[in-house]
Amino acid sequence: MRFNRILLSATLVVVALVVQVTVLARLQLPGAVPDLTLLVVLGLAFVYGHVSGALIGFAAGLLADLAPPADHAAGRYALVLCVIGYLAGLVKPENGKLRSATAPMLVVVAAALGSTLLYAGVGALVGDSAARHVGLGGLLFTAALYDLLLAPFVVPGIMALARRAENDPLSESSSSGSDVSSGWLAGGTGLRIGEQKGGLRLRAARSRAQRAGRIKGVKRL
């Protein structure tokens, strides 16, 4: 992994974990706690791919395992986020573009459900039956709901920061309006912001060419 990837990923994971432990975990919402760390891993995996996604997920999960008030075995959540980061990175297309927000939203729901199930499954293997007493069905529903509501405010920003840190041309100009982060924001409204900008630029270029042609014609006369 490049140094800028490591620095950005570490900063975002630490900030997300601090916010999750100090703010979200104290809201006392029914069921699960909104998993801001999971959303950060997903956003980075969407940009960096499956290998970096797995490494970032493992590091983020291990940090969450060691951060207080964790009461489970170290490495349990690291395994969960490593798998989730790898699978989420597979969604990244070769050209780095997605035309709508549907696929990322489905990935968020699947990741919320999958991480809860995998965490409970690993806990069952090591003798932790806390999820069984709380109610697995309620945890699955609330985890998917909270993460889905939080995702539009977190994932696009994470992706934009990751692209900018990579000096990706897609972060500088997305004339087709198909960048996955901009598509997330515009997908629900049907607005094609990038296409509108591209059309304005094309019309401006045509008007300049027409004016230049008129000036040349006057000079020839």
Side-chain angles (χ1 to χ4, degrees), residues 51-142:
V51 176
S52 296
L55 294 175
I56 294 171
F58 178 82
L62 186 60
L63 187 61
D65 288 330
L66 299 177
D71 57 354
H72 55 268
R76 182 173 167 184
Y77 199 51
L79 173 62
V80 172
L81 286 188
C82 180
V83 174
I84 295 298
Y86 179 85
L87 295 178
L90 296 177
V91 178
K92 176 192 173 185
E94 293 297 329
N95 58 1
K97 299 178 182 179
L98 289 173
R99 293 190 176 275
S100 71
T102 304
M105 290 173 67
L106 292 177
V107 173
V108 169
V109 175
L113 297 176
S115 61
T116 304
L117 287 173
L118 187 57
Y119 184 83
V122 174
L125 293 177
V126 298
D128 184 2
S129 58
R132 187 181 307 171
H133 295 94
V134 174
L136 186 58
L139 286 177
L140 290 173
F141 176 76
T142 53

